Amino acid sequence: MSTESSNQESLPELALRAADSHKGTFGTALVVGGSRGMAGGVALAGMAALRGGAGLVRVAAPDICLETVAGFEPAYTTIPLPCDRVGRIAFAARSDISRAAAAATAMGLGPGLGRSAGLDALVARLYRELPLPMVVDADALNALAARSGVLARAGGPRVLTPHPGEFARMVGRRLPVGEWHDAAAELARRSGAVVVLKKGGTLVTDGESRFVNQTGNPGLATGGTGDVLTGLITSLLCQGLAPLAAARLGVHLHGLAGDLGAAELGQESLLSSDLVRYLPRAFLDYRSRRE
């Protein structure tokens, strides 16, 4: 039986940047998501990927809301995707996403995606076919939960980041809180993925090792914070960390940014966009403690 450790014990090492580094050194993050009325989620993930250190960030979103997504941040580029009549990514976008993925280092899938039969089919195909490391979040998780057998057929390394409701759909039932950690480890073993169960004391597990995060506070219980985590973990994958290491360091920095923000703004007033702004200080704290 695997034992649980504090996530702060021997945090993963993110290599220092060499003097001759260039933007290609730190990878290209591709973030796919968004829909009409939910453009902010994929934008938050893109901004977090930039603040997390990816060299280049590309955000692929429905063409109907592309200008809205682009208006959040000038430092990432955008890719227009065909959409259905209500502004969700259409299944026909598969070829565009696959082409973009071929030029990317890691991918985040799900923020602001929405639900449709076409999206369920699209997410399943991308999950099975794309070989690059992928962080799967939000409605992309719900799409996978709707397709039995897909989870164990990943085309490459995967990090799954469910909140309790999404987790219940993925395991097929609601569980007592005391059973969550064992069930998350079983989901990781069954899928071959790293599972990040987002809750107070977020659990990160690959099915063998389990790490309980110690940073974070109730101020993180607001819309969009999970999108920030998706972008952050994606950026750490771009910089060469393995999925378990990227997930562990990502949840630590994400929670720490929340703690730093809440200390100045209060838990009640903390916004998901504040996490992006406090990530630089979280990275500085991480670096200072390793010197």
Side-chain angles (χ1 to χ4, degrees):
M1 184 180 200
S2 57
T3 58
E4 294 182 359
S5 304
S6 166
N7 192 44
Q8 273 63 276
E9 295 177 13
S10 301
L11 277 170
E13 180 78 39
L14 183 64
L16 294 171
R17 300 194 161 200
D20 60 350
S21 299
H22 54 84
K23 60 189 177 185
T25 307
F26 306 112
T28 297
L30 173 65
V31 182
V32 180
S35 57
R36 187 174 185 179
M38 293 195 293
V42 73
L44 283 166
M47 290 188 288
L50 286 167
R51 286 295 193 188
L56 291 167
V57 177
R58 306 183 75 195
V59 179
D63 52 13
I64 197 171
C65 60
L66 196 72
E67 277 123 11
T68 300
V69 172
F72 279 95
E73 174 54 62
Y76 55 54
T77 60
T78 54
I79 301 170
L81 299 176
C83 60
D84 64 19
R85 59 185 178 82
V86 297
R88 297 169 302 210
I89 296 172
F91 182 80
R94 177 183 161 223
S95 58
D96 298 282
I97 297 170
S98 295
R99 280 194 296 272
T105 312
M107 175 175 167
L109 175 63
L113 197 64
R115 295 297 309 281
S116 71
L119 277 169
D120 285 357
L122 175 63
V123 168
R125 293 290 288 270
L126 297 175
Y127 186 88
R128 291 197 314 261
E129 294 177 355
L130 297 184
L132 80 171
M134 182 187 297
V135 183
V136 186
D137 184 36
D139 276 325
L141 294 170
N142 293 324
L144 292 178
R147 297 255 170 166
S148 62
V150 173
L151 278 174
R153 299 167 60 192
R158 303 291 184 253
V159 179
L160 312 177
T161 61
H163 60 51
E166 293 157 349
F167 179 65
R169 288 187 280 276
M170 297 189 80
V171 300
R173 64 196 188 283
R174 290 197 174 272
L175 298 167
V177 173
E179 297 180 18
W180 284 4
H181 286 198
D182 286 342
E186 175 56 30
L187 176 61
R189 285 190 292 269
R190 177 163 55 88
S191 63
V194 171
V195 172
V196 177
L197 178 54
K198 298 181 295 193
K199 58 184 183 61
T202 291
L203 176 72
V204 181
T205 179
D206 61 357
E208 298 300 326
S209 301
R210 304 184 193 183
F211 301 93
V212 179
N213 195 51
Q214 304 300 314
T215 59
N217 63 80
L220 294 172
T222 187
T225 57
D227 303 323
V228 173
L229 181 62
T230 294
L232 179 55
I233 297 175
T234 302
S235 73
L236 295 172
L237 290 168
C238 284
Q239 294 168 80
L241 290 187
L244 181 63
R248 288 186 58 205
L249 184 55
V251 299
H252 170 79
L253 292 168
H254 179 266
L256 181 55
D259 290 339
L260 293 167
E264 294 188 2
L265 305 174
Q267 293 182 5
E268 295 82 1
S269 296
L270 191 67
L271 302 178
S272 51
S273 54
D274 294 325
L275 297 184
V276 177
R277 289 192 286 272
Y278 280 91
L279 273 175
R281 288 176 55 181
F283 271 96
L284 288 171
D285 181 278
Y286 164 73
R287 288 297 188 195
S288 69
R289 291 175 187 274
R290 303 192 70 82
E291 290 177 351

